[in-house]
């Protein structure tokens, strides 16, 4: 039926409304490529069959996608007078239930995602109805909150296959208006006034571009829609076309009329068959209704559209290459000028706009430029559709006003990281864009700001990366893509990207040299500044931005040959080994142990980690988070297996023999003397390896016994001291000398030490409590956590009251709480954030709770109240609520006006510890602002010759394994500095063991060590956890997937 | 119709030019040196080698002199430390891309790539060599095509298409795999469109296209003849 006047126009519209809001219930299924991929087609057929069988009066429709990819397939259910309810993750077996509920005028609540009571199609306002008060309105669920649907105004609601439904929501009215109005220049003024910018990525003013073509003199002019969407991870154009093809046609017909073009071409990726199919049908329908072809809407205007499928090259998205491709030549760009508006397709003036740009036209024409500029930022009004993907909970297509800060995308809409990992960066703009680090998430997303950061808006791809992403690998991936998509015409892009890829490959396989960092940077700039087209000019962005914001990762790859994220295969044995600060060869000791070679397993363990029994009890076990077994069930319990191996040797008569075996590995005496200041885990580790390397090692300790924090801060129920003593005995027996009760800096000056030794390693701990400013800290009964724990260890009298409040959420806080509980007090822990944000080991927190420790979260101390004699009487805390996300990716606690009071007589402060470095200040060592010693990240050398530092003294308060990692690194570097050659690897043992992955994956679930009953263990300081039995340890070792084995 | 006169500055010197001339045209007409490899007078300019990038005041981006039209009042700077650095990198990239072994090349001593490296002071390449294995087409009775020496400047493609009108040559594949191709991937000897005029050989800046029968250093070329013919046919001046 041809539309010729307002009468026929309205008839079609009425017919469409009867389809869209029929007098019977309507079920519409999201059937974009995304929905279909998740089984929407099956759901559709199930509905069709069931409706048919039951003989129901229900209208069934396939629609586009609402954008919430993580919840596909989406099904909209509507009954006259009620709201449209969006059901999520609908499977075929839900169909009967939905129809049953529908018959009763209900919807299944567990499938309901949200409801839509009314919808602004911009060109029409549709009221669906009211009801279902318990289902949230769509705007109130995080994914949709803040979204503004201009481009996606119809997607997921109307049927893309039915032009009448498009008419029903006000479709083609804007076109009608423009044609009736008959003043193209006015329409261009409107587009110019709206300040709409090209949505293909470069952001050029659409109005100005249109004016160029309008003014160009030629008998034939062309307009082109660029739908050659090729960025990995971007699929907004596909979704727009699949959900609402007529909006594109309307935008283009309006454009053709005002620019004076008679022919239009839609250049669409051949990889989008569904989009091609729906567009083809839409064009046919438009011709049928007299919206394309001769005499459009009876206004004497002639225009037709042709659909061309792309040939699959990424570079064909570049306008001059696209034109070349349309002309049948190979898709290679040419220099501009002349611009397409001067000389385009077949040498005629041509306008090219991105799909999304065309989608904005009809709303601007019908609602006016003033309405459009209300949304978005001043320079970049309107919205942009982003494909939000990567390491976040809610992924999908989101349409947001331009200028929205990046953190809104990541934390509000995306709902933050999966499995509580830390988010590192967002990559915007696909392979032409750059990475924006987490510290810059306040950045508003618009053309200018992104460009300033070295990224681009591009097509609107947003890939969120977390700590498991290696930024060097990310850069390498994108360069690999642009390298293979380069057309090969200009030298910088063709050869430069090839060289950049080779250099990046050298980084990821650990063969790069430090000088290649600068070489890569210079090459990247050269490619950016001299390439012929946009592809080459933007291709280095991923490299340049990652090198700017994540240079330390590049340096790690070159200088330490380490990939912290564990992505670069060549740089790690296995994910667990990579995550371990000591780089223990975990699969090796598992395998040796499984092969019943306990002594060798022990040797393997102790050569990697000189304190295997202590760490087996108290390590923060980063290996758990990286274990690949988590993708099957849960991580292998590595910590408790090496505890078992260590305990079996330490507590047996084989101990002496094993000491001999380790001592036999000692290299020939070098005659070099090394002083280690502090006998904590860092110092012990450095001393152990230095002694094995043949040096004469002396450890200075201010306390009467060695062990540092392990000895004096860790409570006995976590680490019984005989265990630690046995380990230190081994270290002593391989030749390390200990001098106790000697404080370097007081009893012996640093200069004296420097004169006596060839190298000095400073590994003092963080024994000083960082003091919070809080009224009342001067009162009697306020104690710092570490002093409290130390006093308990030294069996000094501790004035502990009946009611104890611990402030803090780290391990020191939990240790204090559990110790105080064992001393007979009632304990409450107050922490300012949420439970999941606590830095303490989770098992410890759980155990504390079982032992009767109370927890108060989201509360910040306000003041400590004293009584007359200056003793603590109570503490007042301000309750907080969760505010915006801070730079650590956690929600910042914001104080409320609610104050809570806890009566107590002791307050233990565990809010963080710092290094007491007064002695170092006097010695010429450079101290950082954070109060730690400044060292070279890789060599651990301080500003003073001979002096090295490691552990908490350089990192601030950390944990045992990190501290030991520094000790190991220090031993390696000190040796290299003293001897002039790398000798450390000579110490590493070599074992022959089975190198085949398990034929069958063990079905055993993760074993946990047994804890004594809470009531029993809370009475005394006996070890609270019972280690594995031999069978349990063996079973656990058998769960290892052997990620270390590489197929040849 | 007499062409409009404009004036532009190149490296500070005020020069008169005709509307429609590129920056490179004006520079050449006034004996100002801007390095080029893919440009050949008379043939259409493609802006592929990127050696002719120049700075124009008021414009952030670098612009290729061979395709950018001179505009009245424009001020061009042809040499800055950055431009020199970039040009050297571009040359280094060309030198490592294929197997440019001068000591065994017929064009040794008469090679534009070699001369340009000498002029710009490129003494060695810092990037790893690709050493691709590329074929040599000796099927034509008078000429040789050696892909190992090709820099993909496409001067042969344009000389054959725009001057001879045969369009025997084109470029196939893309990116680093790009390769000069004869007809639809035929051997040169089997080509039925090739007129054996030899213009491509004369236009080639390196030893990639050469006449048979010459030993090392013996192949000299006259691309000015190609230019003269091209200009006569109405090509760009």
């Amino acid at each position: 039926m041809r539309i010729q006047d307002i009468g026929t126009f309205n008839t079609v519209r009425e017919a469409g409304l009867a389809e869209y809001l029929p007098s019977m219930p309507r079920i519409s299924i999201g059937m974009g490529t995304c929905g279909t991929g998740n089984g929407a087609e099956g759901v559709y057929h199930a509905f069709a069959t069931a409706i048919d069988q039951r003989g129901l009066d229900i209208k069934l429709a396939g629609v586009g996608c609402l954008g919430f990819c993580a919840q596909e397939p989406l099904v909209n259910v509507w009954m006259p007078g009620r709201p449209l309810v969006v059901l999520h993750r609908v499977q075929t077996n839900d169909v009967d239930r939905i129809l049953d509920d529908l018959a009763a005028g209900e919807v299944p609540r567990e499938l309901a995602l949200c409801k839509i009571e009314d919808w602004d199609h911009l060109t029409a306002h549709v009221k669906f109805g009211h009801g279902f008060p318990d289902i949230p309105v769509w705007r109130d669920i995080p994914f949709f909150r803040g979204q503004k649907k201009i481009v996606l105004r119809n997607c997921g609601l109307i049927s893309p296959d039915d032009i009448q439904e498009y008419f029903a929501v006000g479709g083609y009215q804007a076109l009608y208006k423009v044609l009736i109005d008959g003043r193209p220049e006015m329409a261009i003024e409107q587009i110019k006034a709206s300040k709409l910018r090209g949505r293909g990525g470069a952001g050029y003013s659409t109005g100005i571009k249109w004016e160029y073509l309008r003014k160009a003199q030629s008998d034939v002019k062309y307009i082109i829609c660029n739908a050659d969407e090729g960025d990995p991870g971007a699929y907004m154009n596909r979704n727009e076309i699949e959900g609402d093809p007529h909006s594109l046609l309307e935008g283009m017909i309006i454009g053709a009329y005002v620019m004076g073009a008679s022919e239009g071409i839609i250049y669409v990726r051949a990889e989008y068959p569904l989009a091609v199919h729906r567009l083809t049908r839409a064009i046919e329908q438009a011709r049928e209704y007299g919206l394309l072809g001769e005499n459009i809407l009876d206004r004497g205007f002639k225009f037709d559209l042709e659909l061309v499928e792309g040939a699959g090259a990424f570079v064909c998205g570049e306008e001059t290459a696209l034109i070349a491709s349309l002309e049948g030549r190979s898709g290679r760009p040419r220099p501009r000028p002349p611009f397409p508006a001067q000389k385009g397709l077949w040498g005629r003036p041509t306008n090219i706009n991105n799909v999304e740009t065309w989608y904005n036209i009809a709303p601007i024409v019908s609602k006016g430029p003033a309405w459009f500029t209300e949304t978005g930022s001043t320079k970049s009004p309107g919205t942009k559709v982003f494909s939000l993907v990567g390491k976040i909970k809610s992924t999908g297509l989101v349409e947001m006003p331009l200028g929205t800060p990046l953190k809104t995308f990541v934390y509000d809409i995306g709902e933050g990281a999966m499995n509580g990992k830390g988010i590192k960066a967002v990559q915007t703009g696909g392979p032409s864009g750059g990475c924006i680090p987490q510290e810059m998430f306040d950045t508003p997303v618009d053309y200018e700001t992104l460009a300033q950061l070295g990224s681009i808006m591009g097509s609107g791809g947003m890939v969120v990366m977390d700590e498991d992403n290696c930024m060097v690998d990310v850069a390498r991936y994108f360069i690999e893509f642009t390298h293979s998509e380069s057309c090969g015409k200009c030298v910088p892009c063709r050869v430069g990207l090839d060289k950049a890829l080779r250099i990046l490959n050298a980084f990821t396989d650990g063969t790069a040299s430090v000088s290649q960092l600068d070489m890569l940077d210079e090459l990247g700039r050269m490619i950016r500044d001299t390439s012929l087209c946009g592809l080459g000019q933007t291709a280095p962005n991923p490299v340049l931005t990652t090198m700017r914001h994540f240079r330390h990762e590049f340096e790690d790859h070159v200088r330490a040959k380490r990939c912290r994220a564990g992505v670069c295969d060549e740089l790690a044995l296995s994910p667990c080994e990579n995550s371990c600060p000591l780089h223990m060869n975990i699969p090796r000791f598992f395998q040796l142990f499984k092969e019943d070679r306990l002594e060798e397993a022990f040797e393997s363990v102790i050569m990697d980690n000189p304190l295997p029994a202590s760490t087996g009890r108290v390590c923060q076990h980063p290996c758990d988070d990286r274990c690949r077994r988590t993708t099957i069930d849960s991580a292998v319990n590595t910590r408790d297996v090496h505890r078992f191996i260590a305990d079996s040797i330490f507590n047996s008569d084989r101990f002496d023999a094993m000491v001999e075996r380790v001592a036999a590995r000692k290299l020939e005496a070098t005659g070099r003397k090394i002083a280690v200041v502090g006998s904590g885990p860092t110092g012990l580790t450095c001393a152990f390896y230095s002694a094995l390397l043949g040096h004469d090692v002396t450890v200075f300790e201010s306390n009467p016994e060695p062990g540092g924090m392990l000895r004096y801060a860790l409570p006995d129920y976590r680490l019984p001291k005989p265990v630690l003593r046995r380990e230190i005995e081994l270290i002593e027996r391989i030749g390390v000398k200990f001098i106790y009760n000697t404080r370097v800096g007081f009893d012996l000056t640093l200069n004296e030490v420097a004169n006596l030794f060839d190298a000095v390693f400073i590994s003092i701990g963080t024994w000083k409590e960082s003091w919070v400013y809080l009224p009342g800290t001067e009162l009697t009964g306020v104690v710092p956590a570490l002093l409290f724990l130390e006093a308990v260890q030294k069996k000094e009298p501790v004035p502990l009251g009946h009611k104890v409040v611990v402030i803090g959420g780290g391990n020191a806080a939990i240790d204090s709480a559990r110790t105080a509980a064992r001393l007979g007090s009632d304990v409450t822990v107050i922490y300012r954030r949420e439970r999941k944000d606590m830095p303490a080991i989770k098992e410890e927190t759980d155990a504390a709770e079982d032992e009767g420790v109370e927890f108060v979260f989201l509360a910040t101390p306000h003041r400590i109240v004293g009584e007359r004699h200056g003793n603590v009487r109570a503490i007042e805390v301000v309750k907080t609520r969760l505010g915006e996300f801070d730079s650590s990716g956690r929600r910042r606690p914001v104080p409320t006006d609610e104050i809570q009071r806890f009566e107590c007589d002791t307050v233990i402060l565990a809010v963080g510890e710092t290094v007491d470095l007064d002695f170092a200040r006097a010695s010429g060592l450079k101290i950082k602002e954070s109060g730690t010693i400044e060292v070279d990240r890789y060599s651990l050398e301080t500003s003073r010759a001979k002096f090295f530092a490691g552990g908490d003294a350089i990192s601030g308060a950390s944990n045992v394994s990190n501290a030991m990692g520094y000790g190991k690194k220090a031993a390696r570097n000190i040796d290299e500095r003293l001897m002039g050659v790398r000798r450390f690897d000579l110490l590493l043992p070599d074992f022959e063991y089975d190198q085949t992955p398990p034929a069958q994956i063990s079905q055993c679930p993760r074993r946990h060590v047994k804890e004594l009953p809470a009531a029993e263990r809370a009475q005394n300081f006996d070890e609270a956890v019972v280690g594995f039995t031999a069978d349990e340890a063996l079973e656990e070792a058998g769960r290892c997937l052997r990620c270390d084995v590489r197929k040849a | 119709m007499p062409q409009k006169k404009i004036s532009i500055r190149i490296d500070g010197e005020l020069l008169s030019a005709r509307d429609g001339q590129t920056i490179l045209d004006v520079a050449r007409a006034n004996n100002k040196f801007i390095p080029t490899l893919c440009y050949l007078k008379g043939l259409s300019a493609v802006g592929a080698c990127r050696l002719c990038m120049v700075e124009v005041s008021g414009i952030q981006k670098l612009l290729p002199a061979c395709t950018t039209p001179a505009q009245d009042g424009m001020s061009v700077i042809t040499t800055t430390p950055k431009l020199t650095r970039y040009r050297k990198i571009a040359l280094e990239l060309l030198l490592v891309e294929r197997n440019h072994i001068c000591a065994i090349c017929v064009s040794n001593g008469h090679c534009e790539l070699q001369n340009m490296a000498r002029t710009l002071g490129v003494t060695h390449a810092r990037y790893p060599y690709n050493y691709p294995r590329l074929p040599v087409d000796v099927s034509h009775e008078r000429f040789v095509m050696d892909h190992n020496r090709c820099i993909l400047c496409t001067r042969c493609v344009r000389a054959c298409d725009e001057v001879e009108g045969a369009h025997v040559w084109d470029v196939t594949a893309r990116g680093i795999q790009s390769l000069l191709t004869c007809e639809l991937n035929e051997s040169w000897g089997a080509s039925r469109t090739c007129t054996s005029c030899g213009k491509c050989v004369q236009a080639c800046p390196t030893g990639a296209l050469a006449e048979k029968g010459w030993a090392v250093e013996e192949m000299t070329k006259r691309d000015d003849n190609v230019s003269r013919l091209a200009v006569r046919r109405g090509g760009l001046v």
Side-chain angles (χ1 to χ4, degrees), chain A residues 402-414:
Chain A
L402 286 164
T404 307
L406 209 44
K407 63 179 178 191
T408 309
F409 288 90
V410 177
Y411 297 117
D412 294 334
I413 294 185

Side-chain angles (χ1 to χ4, degrees), chain A residues 70-322:
Chain A
Q71 301 295 339
E72 298 272 10
L74 297 170
V75 171
N76 305 338
V77 176
W78 179 75
M79 287 171 277
R82 314 299 298 272
L84 181 93
V85 178
V86 182
L87 308 178
H88 64 137
R89 300 207 170 150
V90 179
Q91 301 300 322
T92 43
N93 52 10
D94 296 324
V95 165
D96 281 328
R97 191 154 48 117
I98 296 170
L99 290 176
D100 291 346
D101 278 6
L102 215 54
E106 273 303 326
V107 288
R109 290 299 193 274
E110 65 283 7
L111 290 174
L113 178 72
C114 59
K115 66 176 174 190
I116 301 172
E117 295 187 323
D118 60 326
W119 186 268
D120 191 359
H121 284 279
L122 303 181
T123 42
H125 199 98
V126 172
K127 285 192 168 38
F128 289 106
H130 297 282
F132 306 128
D134 53 322
I135 301 176
V137 177
W138 71 284
R139 285 196 174 284
D140 290 338
I141 67 168
F143 182 76
F144 289 116
R145 200 177 295 150
Q147 285 204 51
K148 177 152 182 154
K149 304 260 189 182
I150 295 179
V151 171
L152 302 175
R153 59 191 178 275
N154 300 330
C155 279
L157 293 167
I158 63 163
S159 164
D161 289 331
D162 187 350
I163 190 170
Q164 291 190 348
E165 287 195 19
Y166 183 65
F167 272 105
V169 296
Y172 290 114
Q173 272 179 5
L175 172 67
Y176 198 76
K177 187 175 155 190
V178 171
L179 288 184
I180 292 287
D181 191 43
R183 287 180 301 171
E185 57 290 342
M186 285 303 291
I188 290 194
E189 281 311 315
Q190 273 195 316
I191 303 292
K192 268 165 82 175
S194 75
K195 295 198 246 169
L196 173 66
R197 301 172 67 168
R199 296 292 192 246
Y204 193 75
S205 160
T206 305
I208 295 176
K209 204 164 166 180
W210 282 26
E211 199 166 34
Y212 280 142
L213 190 70
R214 168 147 191 88
K215 288 187 175 157
Q217 299 294 322
S218 171
D219 50 342
V220 181
K221 293 182 201 173
Y222 297 101
I223 60 167
I224 296 175
C225 166
N226 184 349
D228 189 58
E229 181 178 56
D231 285 9
Y235 53 99
M236 56 283 294
N237 291 169
R238 186 194 75 201
N239 205 64
E240 287 147 15
I241 295 175
E242 285 175 358
D244 183 19
H246 284 286
S247 279
L248 173 61
L249 301 194
E250 186 176 1
M252 289 190 76
I253 303 168
I254 294 174
Y257 178 68
V258 301
M259 286 185 268
S262 56
E263 281 179 52
I265 291 162
I266 303 175
Y267 188 90
V268 69
R269 279 188 92 176
E271 292 90 334
Y272 286 171
L274 188 60
V276 169
H277 173 77
R278 290 193 177 156
L279 258 183
T280 313
R281 170 145 357 155
I283 292 173
E284 279 166 16
Q285 285 177 347
R287 284 202 191 110
E288 211 176 296
Y289 280 75
L291 300 162
L292 282 176
E294 306 279 339
N295 197 15
I296 292 171
L297 290 175
D298 209 24
R299 303 295 299 176
F301 168 54
K302 178 189 164 214
F303 174 70
D304 211 347
L305 269 173
E306 187 190 348
L307 195 143
V308 176
E309 289 184 44
F314 178 68
V315 72
C316 287
E318 201 279 341
E319 56 182 14
T320 56
L322 190 152

Side-chain angles (χ1 to χ4, degrees), chain A residues 560-580:
Chain A
K561 307 280 182 215
R562 283 280 167 202
C563 170
R564 195 155 293 198
V567 171
C568 301
D569 272 349
E570 301 298 318
L571 299 182
L573 179 76
S574 59
C576 50
E577 179 265 355
N578 195 51
S579 69
C580 176

Side-chain angles (χ1 to χ4, degrees), chain B residues 97-130:
Chain B
E97 185 188 12
R98 296 200 172 171
N99 306 310
H100 295 285
I101 303 162
C102 302
I104 54 158
C105 180
V106 284
S107 289
N108 189 6
H110 320 287
C111 168
E112 279 188 43
L113 179 66
Q114 193 184 42
N115 290 342
M116 193 57 74
R118 195 179 297 129
T119 312
L120 297 183
V122 177
T123 52
H124 64 288
R126 294 162 299 163
Y127 305 99
Y129 283 82
N130 278 19

Side-chain angles (χ1 to χ4, degrees), chain A residues 313 332 335 337 484-492 494-495 498-499 502 519 522 525-526 529-532 537, chain B residues 46-48 50 61 67 69 85-86 89-90 93-94 96-97 126-128 130 151-152 171 173-176 178:
Chain A
R332 291 201 176 84
S484 66
E485 292 294 342
S486 162
C487 83
K489 181 169 182 173
C490 73
V491 176
R494 180 181 77 229
V495 198
D498 184 60
K499 292 299 148 211
R502 276 166 195 248
M519 193 193 254
E522 189 189 32
R525 285 164 200 277
M526 182 265 184
D529 293 347
T530 65
S531 287
L532 194 157
Q537 286 161 10
Chain B
V46 289
R50 313 312 274 178
K61 283 175 145 186
T67 59
R85 206 164 63 237
Y86 285 173
I89 294 178
L93 292 176
L94 280 177
V96 299
E97 185 188 12
R126 294 162 299 163
Y127 305 99
N130 278 19
I151 58 169
L152 293 169
V171 178
R174 67 172 181 233
I176 198 73
S178 300

Side-chain angles (χ1 to χ4, degrees), chain A residues 27 46 60 66 152 211 233 407 427 446 461 547 601 696 715 843 891 912:
Chain A
I27 296 175
L60 188 64
L66 269 179
L152 302 175
E211 199 166 34
K407 63 179 178 191
Q427 212 278 349
D446 60 42
M547 281 182 73
D696 183 2
E843 291 93 318
R891 282 181 180 274

Side-chain angles (χ1 to χ4, degrees), chain B residues 146-161:
Chain B
D146 186 351
H147 289 287
N148 296 290
R149 296 166 182 166
C150 175
I151 58 169
L152 293 169
C153 67
T154 66
R155 272 157 56 162
C156 55
V157 177
R158 286 170 283 152
C160 183
D161 178 39

